[in-house]
Amino acid sequence: MKRMQNVRGSLYPSNKVWHVLALLVVLSVYLFPKDGYAQETTDTMCSASCEPECNGSCEIPLKLYELDEVILIAPNKEIGYQKQSKPLSSIDEYLESSEHVKMIKRGAYAWEPTLNSMASERLSITIDGMRIFGACTDKMDPITSYVDVSNLSEISVESGQEGNEHGNCVGGAIDMKLDTSPFKEDYLKVSLDEGFESNNEQKITGVDVNFAEESFYLDGDVIYRKANNYTDGNGEEVLYSRYEKFNLSVNGGLNLNDEGKVTASFIFDQANDVGYPALPMDVSLARAFIGAIGYEQYNVGIVKNWKSKIYANSITHIMDDSQRPDVPIRMDMPGWSDTFGFYSQAELEHSRHSFLVKVDSYYNRSLAEMTMYPNDSNQADMFMLTWPDVRTWNTGIFVQDAIALEKGNMSLSTRISYHRNWIVDEFGLNSLRIFYPEMEASQHRFLASFGSNYDRTINHFKLAVGVSYGTRAPSVSEGFGFYLFNSSDNHDYIGNPDLKNEQAYEMKARISFQKKSFTASLQGSYFYMPNYIIGEIDESIGTMTIGAEGVKLYRNLDYASIANVSVQSEYLLSKNWTWKGSISYHRGVDDTNRNLPFISPIAYGSSVQFKKNRIFGEVAMDGAGEQVNVSEVFGEDKTEAYTVFSLSIGKTFTVSKNQLYAKAGVENIFDTYYSTYTDWNNIPRMGRNVFVTLSYKII
Amino acid sequence: MKIFKTIILIVLTLLITACSEDEENTQIEENPVADLILVEQIEANNHTIELYSEQDNFYVGYNEISLRVKDNTADDYFSNVSITWMPIMHMTSMSHSCPKSDIETTQNETVSKGFMIFQMPGNSEEYWELTLNYEIEGVAYEASKIVEVVQKPDGMKNCISFVAADDSRYVLAWVAPKVPEVKVNDFIVALYKMENMITFSKVEDYTIMIDPRMPGMGNHSSPNNEHLTFDSASEMYAGKLSLTMSGYWKINMKLLDAENSVLKGEDVTDTNPESSLYLEIEF
């Protein structure tokens, strides 16, 4: 399996020669493969580079069907964060370094993940299988912002309907797996992490304590980050890009005589004074309480594993503009999102079949308000409900059958869900009835999806193909949002309760080649999406937000289509040196051939890694071509091509039997000014940044 | 058995509750002004004429008034009293009346109802005098009193008196919604033409175009409003007023006559933030 690439860094001063050179570097990997020194890697989650540190303890469950990608953060705490070029980087940076995930950035914090060129509402994003929904109407709090690397062991990224195990989605799923200790006698690990970054003076402090016996485990970790405004490549301070975050998590487990286990987990996450340079408002508070209790039993009759979990989470998100000196009008925009849910799943095996049957359900409450304070203090405050206390209840069943065939593997899966939305607040319902006089307070729909995958190995080649169909319900904003301002296309958005389910017919194929030192894979996916949901301008409606250009209503397009193609390769140059390269191309158009927004131009990355004994170093480059297919209707303008470079080096020391891992690096080596297609309103990215990380593990 | 008992208990409880509600209803019928506020009493002819309103005062603008006449001797209210009224504003230089409805007996025969639209408040030198003429058992009586009319404390313009392009003076007043909400409200205004100092006549076949705006927030408008047209049942102008948020709204208006020529008011544009004809609300 592919793992993340460490591609951070800078753009050498706007020079096209560099782009060409960079492309050549990547291409050379394909053009001149060379048999090398490494052992043949096996097709498991632990690929070659992971082996030396794993020492056999890298027990990540292997599934028959093909996971698209697993981003390792700290599996079983054995290898720590060493694989990441910047060990204490944020979750956002971990995800950004993945092959398939792109992050939409509204500032330095809380980036929004996209997968297969699709964002939050088209994905299922879960924490250990738990559904959780952001409380911000303007997507300032993707749920990835409510965890930290200290909480997680890995992030699995599943493309398209391979992700429907966790919930209805069309684009795929991102599941963040919590890190827990094994049941092991006299197991005690304490690690202290300290990080510093020069550009925004970010300080990171973390403590992680893991304690276990054969009968139980108890883990706790805290991490604190504080960053000031960062500086772009021109040396200009990017105002309102600071943030402060505190995260605490506690995990516990009881071993039930090796027949099962009871687990409990709790995460508290709070961010304060988070700036959003791309938006007109900042966030004074984003707070999450996330808790779950799980029960797992092994070998119950024919059931190999039976796992259940109940969970609850509560998010409070408060937008404010008190730090902005110059706004047309002061406003407060608090939002709340509470979710309760459960799932129960059983794994069965019967000859060549491995079944997974899962029932799940969640209930969510989303409420958001907006209070505007007129400049004339004699006038009354203005108030509206932007999310009218929308309740969502979704319950579904998922069945998967993974079949080991004579030649190859086959996986079939289906999910059927009942999805109900209803509006509780009369004020909010009446508000929406301004646009939809006949609107009912309650609505329901059925969602169905089906996925199929087949893979087969022929000599050095491995072929995987999949055909799938998926549907999703509109998100709360798409269905029931009321004057939500989008600063990217400068329009107010109104939800549409009459939206049909969005559908996706998906085809994908991957061919990978693996021979001794050289691995390469070519993969492509194509989504034909009837009833694609997007906001369309309605000229008849006046704007609400001061300065907005117009109002958009969410509509179902006849269809849209999205295609993604990427090539990755890894080449073991010698025993100690590895060269990686990747190129991807994405295209998204609607039924009238208009470009969809936030679709990546040609992007490429390449890195050389050195590993010897306990030293790990890397030089990485990544970049993108000029954005050719610009979606002007949806607020985009052309993003210039860029190439950026970074380097890092780390070493593990043994200090009185304990491990000290030190790592330092430079991102954006050439301190270049650049911005990518994912940067909301073209906010510039960080200039040169030097980071130092120290991780001390007491074993 | 237990379930059976429980059901009986529930049914009984429901019956009792239902009965008591009935009783309440009859009580309301017995006291038809229970929900109203006594704003004025006029003593004359050994009668007390009580004037009730939903509001605690006579205010500038539309006032819905319920009246009843008490026989002070019998301490009882007369039924089916036919009443007419004449409010007069005594200004320093002249006197004039205001738009008003006929007074009609309600379902409860002791109570009569009508409305007056005061276009200005009284002050230290100028005052409103209300004269009532009524007839009980064939005998005509008259009573009058100076009444206090004040501006609403919120200071919102809910009534406007203006001279239009046809050189006539009109009075336009907010009638409903009494309590506006964030929704599409049923919007009713009363429009009267001043024929002379005393007579105000209803105007039909006109159109009142509306453009609600929030001056406190970039002067934005709201969608799906409906212009007001004459509703023959209520004899007022009715349309739809959509309010997308709470706060201060200026309802800009344009008055068109039967031929659709503009009598008063202008379009709101980027350069012209308000019409010369408007009403205001704040909620």
Side-chain angles (χ1 to χ4, degrees):
Chain A
M1 300 267 37
K2 290 287 161 191
R3 66 175 62 255
M4 65 210 180
Q5 276 201 315
N6 304 314
V7 278
R8 319 218 53 71
S10 83
L11 168 63
Y12 192 81
S14 61
N15 190 334
K16 287 206 170 172
V17 178
W18 275 104
H19 306 143
V20 177
L21 260 177
L23 269 168
L24 281 176
V25 166
V26 177
L27 285 172
S28 66
V29 178
Y30 305 108
L31 295 175
F32 311 108
K34 179 179 143 196
D35 288 354
Y37 310 87
Q39 308 148 358
E40 192 156 335
T41 52
T42 50
D43 189 27
T44 67
M45 306 294 163
C46 287
S47 63
S49 56
C50 167
E51 279 165 21
E53 284 94 355
C54 276
N55 300 325
S57 61
C58 194
E59 291 164 9
I60 302 163
L62 176 65
K63 290 183 183 169
L64 266 176
Y65 65 97
E66 198 154 327
L67 267 181
D68 260 321
E69 195 174 13
V70 173
I71 302 166
L72 292 175
I73 293 172
N76 297 339
K77 302 279 182 198
E78 288 293 331
I79 55 169
Y81 315 111
Q82 295 176 14
K83 295 289 98 183
Q84 174 74 349
S85 67
K86 193 167 79 181
L88 282 177
S89 59
S90 66
I91 269 227
D92 295 339
E93 289 168 305
Y94 270 92
L95 282 165
E96 170 99 309
S97 68
S98 118
E99 306 264 352
H100 299 97
V101 179
K102 313 270 182 187
M103 304 297 281
I104 295 174
K105 301 165 196 78
R106 297 169 173 88
Y109 182 78
W111 298 346
E112 182 189 5
T114 70
L115 178 60
N116 285 325
S117 312
M118 296 181 231
S120 319
E121 58 279 346
R122 297 190 162 87
L123 308 178
S124 144
I125 303 180
T126 48
I127 299 173
D128 239 9
M130 292 183 274
R131 299 308 301 256
I132 167 167
F133 299 88
C136 177
T137 51
D138 296 346
K139 295 172 135 193
M140 290 153 97
D141 69 335
I143 64 162
T144 41
S145 69
Y146 290 114
V147 285
D148 209 313
V149 288
S150 56
N151 308 141
L152 304 181
S153 64
E154 62 181 45
I155 302 172
S156 77
V157 178
E158 292 156 295
S159 170
Q161 289 309 312
E162 283 179 29
N164 67 2
E165 177 187 333
H166 304 294
N168 301 98
C169 60
V170 291
I174 295 173
D175 186 40
M176 295 173 280
K177 299 213 181 333
L178 297 178
D179 186 29
T180 56
S181 297
F183 293 115
K184 216 172 183 181
E185 203 176 333
D186 282 339
Y187 183 86
L188 176 66
K189 278 189 182 177
V190 179
S191 75
L192 308 168
D193 297 300
E194 199 65 42
F196 177 77
E197 301 195 17
S198 66
N199 187 297
N200 56 358
E201 295 167 19
Q202 183 176 192
K203 294 175 199 70
I204 307 154
T205 304
V207 180
D208 199 339
V209 180
N210 303 281
F211 178 60
E213 289 290 345
E214 276 177 359
S215 57
F216 75 98
Y217 66 79
L218 189 62
D219 304 326
D221 59 71
V222 290
I223 192 162
Y224 173 76
R225 300 168 183 272
K226 187 172 166 67
N228 289 330
N229 290 341
Y230 69 81
T231 308
D232 66 24
N234 285 345
E236 300 276 330
E237 182 181 359
V238 177
L239 291 176
Y240 319 113
S241 59
R242 78 209 170 273
Y243 62 87
E244 184 177 2
K245 174 187 172 107
F246 174 78
N247 177 290
L248 174 149
S249 94
V250 182
N251 284 306
L254 275 180
N255 192 351
L256 305 175
N257 301 325
D258 291 327
E259 287 167 4
K261 63 178 174 184
V262 177
T263 58
S265 57
F266 173 77
I267 299 174
F268 169 77
D269 188 283
Q270 179 166 322
N272 292 98
D273 294 321
V274 183
Y276 289 82
L279 303 179
M281 290 183 85
D282 302 315
V283 165
S284 60
L285 173 75
R287 187 177 57 206
F289 296 94
I290 301 163
I293 294 171
Y295 174 75
E296 198 171 334
Q297 208 171 345
Y298 324 122
N299 303 316
V300 197
I302 54 160
V303 177
K304 202 178 82 178
N305 182 294
W306 176 45
K307 190 158 82 178
S308 304
K309 182 179 267 186
I310 55 167
Y311 59 88
N313 54 68
S314 175
I315 293 180
T316 305
H317 187 267
I318 297 178
M319 266 191 257
D320 92 330
D321 54 11
S322 57
Q323 307 294 315
R324 306 289 178 113
D326 192 22
V327 289
I329 187 165
R330 294 274 160 204
M331 52 177 93
D332 279 340
M333 294 181 70
W336 299 270
S337 168
D338 301 321
T339 309
F340 307 90
F342 81 93
Y343 66 79
S344 186
Q345 65 179 52
E347 287 172 35
L348 295 87
E349 278 185 2
H350 182 71
S351 69
R352 290 161 170 253
H353 296 265
S354 297
F355 294 100
L356 175 65
V357 181
K358 181 179 181 185
V359 288
D360 52 27
S361 188
Y362 70 83
Y363 166 83
N364 170 266
R365 169 187 185 234
S366 292
L367 173 70
E369 308 174 344
M370 180 165 167
T371 306
M372 293 138 282
Y373 304 100
N375 297 326
D376 178 353
S377 58
N378 292 324
Q379 287 177 16
D381 296 344
M382 294 170 262
F383 177 85
M384 53 167 51
L385 279 182
T386 44
W387 274 351
D389 200 352
V390 183
R391 311 293 170 95
T392 304
W393 181 54
N394 180 303
T395 189
I397 180 163
F398 169 80
V399 181
Q400 183 186 55
D401 182 12
I403 313 154
L405 300 173
E406 295 266 319
K407 288 174 179 171
N409 300 304
M410 175 100 173
S411 161
L412 301 169
S413 67
T414 183
R415 167 177 281 276
I416 295 164
S417 303
Y418 170 77
H419 186 95
R420 181 173 171 233
N421 290 111
W422 68 105
I423 296 176
V424 172
D425 196 293
E426 190 75 20
F427 183 101
L429 180 61
N430 282 332
S431 304
L432 279 169
R433 280 184 174 156
I434 292 174
F435 295 95
Y436 307 98
E438 307 299 320
M439 176 185 172
E440 302 277 348
S442 170
Q443 58 169 251
H444 63 92
R445 53 186 82 221
F446 288 94
L447 303 169
S449 62
F450 167 78
S452 69
N453 289 289
Y454 173 76
D455 67 79
R456 185 176 173 181
T457 307
I458 306 166
N459 300 325
H460 295 295
F461 289 93
K462 185 170 176 183
L463 182 74
V465 290
V467 179
S468 305
Y469 167 78
T471 49
R472 70 160 180 116
S475 67
V476 170
S477 289
E478 288 168 338
F480 310 99
F482 192 66
Y483 285 105
L484 305 179
F485 179 62
N486 177 326
S487 65
S488 175
D489 61 10
N490 204 23
H491 279 73
D492 284 327
Y493 276 68
I494 308 282
N496 180 354
D498 301 328
L499 287 175
K500 291 182 229 144
N501 292 337
E502 183 177 285
Q503 296 155 275
Y505 295 90
E506 173 196 350
M507 279 182 294
K508 63 178 172 184
R510 172 203 291 237
I511 181 160
S512 46
F513 173 79
Q514 199 167 68
K515 195 179 178 189
K516 293 187 176 172
S517 60
F518 181 68
T519 59
S521 72
L522 165 69
Q523 55 200 316
S525 60
Y526 175 75
F527 293 83
Y528 171 76
M529 304 175 72
N531 294 320
Y532 187 86
I533 297 170
I534 202 159
E536 290 276 31
I537 295 170
D538 189 323
E539 304 270 2
S540 71
I541 306 173
T543 59
M544 185 275 292
T545 304
I546 297 172
E549 275 169 46
V551 173
K552 288 187 178 179
L553 288 186
Y554 281 104
R555 294 267 159 81
N556 289 110
L557 298 180
D558 273 356
Y559 66 88
S561 49
I562 293 174
N564 308 287
V565 185
S566 64
V567 181
Q568 287 98 25
S569 72
E570 192 171 324
Y571 188 31
L572 278 85
L573 296 164
S574 73
K575 197 177 163 192
N576 304 115
W577 294 86
T578 311
W579 197 342
K580 287 182 180 177
S582 67
I583 306 181
S584 66
Y585 176 74
H586 306 262
R587 185 88 175 95
V589 291
D590 73 358
D591 52 342
T592 54
N593 231 22
R594 292 181 305 176
N595 296 316
L596 296 179
F598 290 105
I599 305 287
S600 175
I602 287 179
Y604 50 85
S606 180
S607 66
V608 179
Q609 292 172 354
F610 172 79
K611 191 172 61 200
K612 189 173 184 185
N613 300 330
R614 305 176 90 181
I615 297 173
F616 186 87
E618 183 185 59
V619 179
M621 171 272 290
D622 83 334
E626 185 183 69
Q627 191 181 13
V628 182
N629 302 307
V630 183
S631 178
E632 273 141 9
V633 191
F634 300 105
E636 286 189 330
D637 53 10
K638 187 185 278 187
T639 311
E640 296 300 322
Y642 70 92
T643 311
V644 287
F645 295 86
S646 66
L647 64 86
S648 64
I649 185 152
K651 186 175 181 189
T652 308
F653 303 92
T654 306
V655 183
S656 57
K657 287 188 183 171
N658 297 323
Q659 272 185 10
L660 175 68
Y661 182 63
K663 191 153 196 177
V666 190
E667 298 169 313
N668 198 350
I669 296 171
F670 302 105
D671 200 15
T672 306
Y673 182 92
Y674 75 112
S675 136
T676 76
Y677 83 99
T678 54
D679 292 297
W680 197 259
N681 286 340
N682 302 327
I683 44 159
R685 302 293 299 279
M686 195 182 273
R688 184 185 296 120
N689 182 33
V690 178
F691 66 86
V692 181
T693 304
L694 292 173
S695 181
Y696 188 62
K697 291 189 197 310
I698 305 163
I699 304 168
Chain B
M1 258 333 257
K2 254 192 173 171
I3 291 174
F4 189 64
K5 276 183 186 167
T6 318
I7 291 171
I8 287 184
L9 214 75
I10 290 170
V11 170
L12 277 176
T13 319
L14 283 174
L15 280 173
I16 290 165
T17 329
C19 287
S20 55
E21 273 169 12
D22 280 349
E23 274 168 25
E24 277 168 27
N25 286 342
T26 19
Q27 272 174 3
I28 287 172
E29 275 169 33
E30 280 175 7
N31 183 5
V33 293
D35 295 335
L36 301 175
I37 301 165
L38 180 65
V39 288
E40 193 60 83
Q41 299 188 77
I42 305 176
E43 301 269 353
N45 319 313
N46 202 26
H47 301 146
T48 304
I49 305 157
E50 299 172 350
L51 288 90
Y52 292 87
S53 169
E54 285 178 6
Q55 303 164 334
D56 57 355
N57 246 317
F58 291 120
Y59 286 109
V60 171
Y62 175 81
N63 292 263
E64 220 168 67
I65 306 293
S66 294
L67 309 91
R68 57 182 183 176
V69 183
K70 190 159 96 177
D71 182 346
N72 288 353
T73 325
D75 196 18
D76 200 4
Y77 294 96
F78 294 108
S79 291
N80 293 314
V81 187
S82 89
I83 313 175
T84 60
W85 52 7
M86 179 51 69
I88 295 288
M89 176 71 203
H90 296 281
M91 296 177 75
T92 45
S93 54
M94 58 165 180
S95 295
H96 64 78
S97 183
C98 70
K100 61 184 193 311
S101 69
D102 295 336
I103 299 174
E104 292 181 7
T105 310
T106 63
Q107 266 190 327
N108 183 307
E109 292 169 346
T110 62
V111 179
S112 304
K113 206 172 172 183
F115 66 82
M116 292 181 281
I117 297 168
F118 300 113
Q119 59 279 58
M120 61 184 286
N123 56 46
S124 54
E125 281 142 29
E126 302 167 316
Y127 59 91
W128 285 95
E129 184 181 23
L130 181 62
T131 303
L132 297 168
N133 289 286
Y134 58 102
E135 198 179 294
I136 297 166
E137 289 155 4
V139 185
Y141 300 95
E142 186 180 288
S144 72
K145 191 174 181 185
I146 292 170
V147 294
E148 195 183 9
V149 175
V150 294
Q151 196 81 46
K152 274 212 178 158
D154 64 9
M156 293 293 111
K157 184 180 277 193
N158 60 356
C159 176
I160 179 170
S161 162
F162 59 94
V163 178
D166 60 357
D167 288 332
S168 302
R169 181 169 280 277
Y170 292 86
V171 175
L172 181 102
W174 185 292
V175 177
K178 287 171 186 165
V179 183
E181 288 179 50
V182 176
K183 65 174 187 182
V184 178
N185 295 272
D186 289 321
F187 188 31
I188 300 169
V189 302
L191 178 66
Y192 284 82
K193 187 177 186 175
M194 190 174 184
E195 305 287 353
N196 55 48
M197 286 299 174
I198 299 301
T199 318
F200 293 80
S201 61
K202 286 184 281 260
V203 188
E204 298 176 23
D205 302 328
Y206 282 20
T207 303
I208 305 170
M209 297 176 74
I210 56 168
D211 186 0
R213 298 276 178 160
M214 290 202 102
M217 204 183 171
N219 216 28
H220 71 76
S221 185
S222 69
N224 298 335
N225 292 286
E226 278 176 27
H227 300 313
L228 284 66
T229 52
F230 189 73
D231 170 45
S232 50
S234 63
E235 301 191 310
M236 291 188 187
Y237 281 78
K240 301 280 186 194
L241 173 65
S242 112
L243 302 170
T244 50
M245 62 180 86
S246 68
Y248 168 66
W249 287 86
K250 185 175 269 183
I251 320 299
N252 295 285
M253 296 176 160
K254 251 168 66 176
L255 179 65
L256 311 182
D257 65 12
E259 281 77 45
N260 280 337
S261 10
V262 180
L263 293 178
K264 180 74 178 175
E266 304 80 29
D267 285 328
V268 179
T269 60
D270 289 342
T271 49
N272 181 41
E274 63 177 44
S275 169
S276 59
L277 182 66
Y278 68 87
L279 298 177
E280 298 169 309
I281 43 157
E282 191 169 72
F283 68 107

